[in-house]
Amino acid sequence: MSRPDSLPVCIVGAGSSGVTVAKALRQKGVPFECFEIGSDIGGMWRYENDNGLSSAYRSLHIDTSRNNLGYSDFPIPDRYPDFLSHYEVMEYLEAYAAHFGVRQHIRFRTRVEDVRPDGDGAWLVRLGSGETRRYRAVIVANGHLWDPRLPDFPGRFDGMAIHSHHYRTAAPFADLNVMVVGIGNSAVDIAVDVCKSARSTLLSTRRSAWIMPKYLMGIPIDRWSAFLSRKLRLPTPVTRAVIGRLMKLAVGDQARFGVPRPRHPIWREHATLSQELLPYAGHGWIRIKPNIRELQGKAVAFEDGSIAPVDAIIYATGYRTTFPFIDPSLFKVEDGRAALYRRMMPPGLPGLYMAGLVQPIGPTIPLVEIQGQWLASVLSGETALPSPQAMAAEIDRHARAVAKRYVGSARYTLEVDFREYARQLRRDMASGRAGR
């Protein structure tokens, strides 16, 4: 039997995270194999992906502007618009994979059924074919936006009800009274999409959200954020507070459009980006309602005492973070906490890593690129890891910081600050020793 350190690395998933991790390992000369359940790369960005896990809807455009979105050594060409559609993101990912020779290392149409330690430091990976392979490490990059989380409201609903994961176009909702539950980016996108052909469109929210336009004075708003945080070196809470003031100057008080102002400051949450919600609310195409008190057949009663007819509900209520191929007794995300050192490693399971299991203030794709570089540095022996005790202490510090900084919600379980987190990972790689 081969020694664990002589075995290749296994990557689960070939979305935007798996592809950049594969590229980083290849550049460091670390042997690996990548398994993808679908027939091609792209993960959630491949519309109607045959892996059955994509949440992309027909009108989806990314919320990070082109200049901030791409991988550092493969810029997105200027011929693309400021905000790419999912089709354009896929073109970019395909070009990236081809440029760095990643595709030939991916085994498509292959399901990973089980991942478990072998007892000697190696990991066993059982595939859908029944074959079991040994690896020195397993990097899980299967995404965390595919297992819908549904709320449980009192009463009974007799109309059509789906999670936003299954939403594709507005066609099935034409001429219906539609309610979208949630006020994140997907909820708002879908409400704007649906309202153009629905009889009526409601948007129900428990605590509301800060609504930020995608453009401020003709410039993508994340470029303003980058200027304030990188050029002026302002802390993220200060940057977001300044953006909030600029936003108010640009669009006014969102409450005037019927969207309540949240009680928490803007820097304590992920603001919702939409150029269209406030104008559509101002025109009456979308009406904002509070939390649901009770489902009443083909009507819904709200906490403000109002009742409205509803034929269809779209729950844009987020996702559970689950790993069907990992026994929950080994690792799971629970109680609003992901116990991962550097947001990648369960301390008691050496050789198991999570890539892309983050929800950053800032762009995701370039942040996971840095994760991939860090993983390649660790697995190539260039960066040493601390003790399990030091890892556990770092996890506790991060959990306390998240609880103090962000609104208490499952949405912020995986939260990181792009700038702070990227600095940590780069410092680890530069010193050759991961910090505490």
Side-chain angles (χ1 to χ4, degrees):
M1 185 177 291
S2 301
R3 297 191 332 270
D5 58 5
S6 67
L7 298 170
V9 172
C10 171
I11 302 173
V12 182
S16 59
S17 297
V19 165
T20 195
V21 169
K23 176 255 191 184
L25 293 180
R26 188 171 187 269
Q27 289 184 328
K28 288 292 185 183
V30 178
F32 69 92
E33 295 175 339
C34 179
F35 299 106
E36 165 57 43
I37 191 174
S39 61
D40 214 331
I41 68 167
M44 69 161 288
W45 292 109
R46 185 169 293 281
Y47 182 62
E48 299 285 41
N49 195 330
D50 61 7
N51 68 6
L53 304 178
S54 175
S55 300
Y57 38 93
R58 176 65 181 80
S59 61
L60 176 64
H61 281 70
I62 200 160
D63 293 317
T64 301
S65 70
R66 181 189 67 244
N67 289 13
N68 293 320
L69 173 64
Y71 301 110
S72 63
D73 53 2
F74 197 74
I76 298 175
D78 291 343
R79 62 184 173 83
Y80 284 100
D82 287 332
F83 296 97
L84 279 65
S85 70
H86 54 82
Y87 295 114
E88 291 162 331
V89 173
M90 274 311 314
E91 286 181 5
Y92 172 68
L93 292 177
E94 288 168 348
Y96 177 84
H99 180 78
F100 290 107
V102 168
R103 185 179 291 274
Q104 58 263 38
H105 297 275
I106 303 170
R107 183 166 157 183
F108 294 105
R109 298 186 179 89
T110 304
R111 179 186 295 272
V112 172
E113 296 281 3
D114 186 69
V115 169
R116 64 182 60 239
D118 195 20
D120 63 349
W123 284 80
L124 295 176
V125 175
R126 178 164 53 83
L127 306 177
S129 63
E131 176 187 7
T132 297
R133 297 189 175 202
R134 275 168 48 91
Y135 294 94
R136 58 175 291 203
V138 175
I139 301 174
V140 177
N142 68 318
H144 58 93
L145 300 175
W146 59 269
D147 188 1
R149 184 175 64 236
L150 288 165
D152 184 17
F153 293 115
R156 185 191 78 253
F157 182 64
D158 295 333
M160 178 197 318
I162 66 167
H163 190 276
S164 59
H165 174 72
H166 303 290
Y167 177 86
R168 294 297 178 265
T169 73
F173 304 93
D175 298 320
L176 299 181
N177 296 306
V178 181
M179 179 177 66
V180 180
V181 180
I183 198 168
N185 291 326
S186 295
V188 167
D189 281 355
I190 291 169
V192 169
D193 206 22
V194 162
C195 77
K196 300 165 189 176
S197 57
R199 182 179 304 154
S200 68
T201 303
L202 305 177
L203 188 68
S204 170
T205 170
R206 285 181 302 167
R207 61 166 63 96
S208 193
W210 293 102
I211 309 300
M212 293 174 58
K214 285 190 170 183
Y215 288 94
L216 200 57
M217 290 180 274
I219 297 172
I221 200 162
D222 63 346
R223 295 188 196 174
W224 286 102
S225 298
F227 171 77
L228 293 169
S229 63
R230 297 175 193 168
K231 299 295 184 182
L232 301 186
R233 298 185 180 277
L234 298 179
T236 298
V238 176
T239 293
R240 291 174 65 77
V242 171
I243 290 294
R245 294 294 183 91
L246 293 174
M247 177 189 71
K248 191 169 182 181
L249 286 173
V251 302
D253 185 353
Q254 67 182 47
R256 192 183 176 285
F257 297 85
V259 184
R261 289 166 57 87
R263 295 179 180 178
H264 51 269
I266 192 170
W267 55 267
R268 291 204 69 202
E269 71 156 7
H270 261 301
T272 296
L273 267 66
S274 176
Q275 200 73 24
E276 299 173 295
L277 176 63
L278 298 184
Y280 274 93
H283 284 78
W285 288 66
I286 298 171
R287 289 183 294 145
I288 311 300
K289 303 294 283 184
N291 196 31
I292 297 166
R293 179 171 59 82
E294 185 182 32
L295 304 174
Q296 299 180 344
K298 294 296 284 288
V300 174
F302 299 94
E303 290 184 348
D304 63 355
S306 64
I307 299 175
V310 174
D311 302 309
I313 300 176
I314 303 169
Y315 291 106
T317 47
Y319 296 85
R320 299 183 300 168
T321 304
T322 55
F323 308 94
F325 45 82
I326 299 177
D327 190 318
S329 65
L330 284 176
F331 176 77
K332 61 182 176 180
V333 175
E334 64 175 345
D335 299 328
R337 183 175 181 184
L340 295 168
Y341 173 72
R342 288 294 194 253
R343 324 291 71 78
M344 286 181 275
M345 292 184 59
L349 295 170
L352 181 65
Y353 304 90
M354 306 287 164
L357 197 59
V358 288
Q359 186 72 37
I361 296 291
T364 301
I365 285 177
L367 186 60
V368 182
E369 177 191 19
I370 301 170
Q371 283 191 328
Q373 295 165 354
W374 187 92
L375 289 167
S377 182
V378 168
L379 290 167
S380 66
E382 295 180 1
T383 296
L385 296 171
S387 68
Q389 293 78 14
M391 291 186 191
E394 188 264 2
I395 291 168
D396 286 338
R397 284 195 301 273
H398 176 74
R400 290 195 300 270
V402 168
K404 181 178 180 180
R405 183 165 178 176
Y406 302 108
V407 175
S409 168
R411 186 183 184 191
Y412 296 96
T413 300
L414 308 176
E415 197 70 23
V416 294
D417 181 300
F418 183 105
R419 188 168 62 163
E420 293 175 3
Y421 183 47
R423 188 186 300 124
Q424 286 179 333
L425 299 183
R426 287 172 174 144
R427 189 187 303 126
D428 290 347
M429 290 184 283
S431 68
R433 182 172 294 277
R436 298 180 181 180

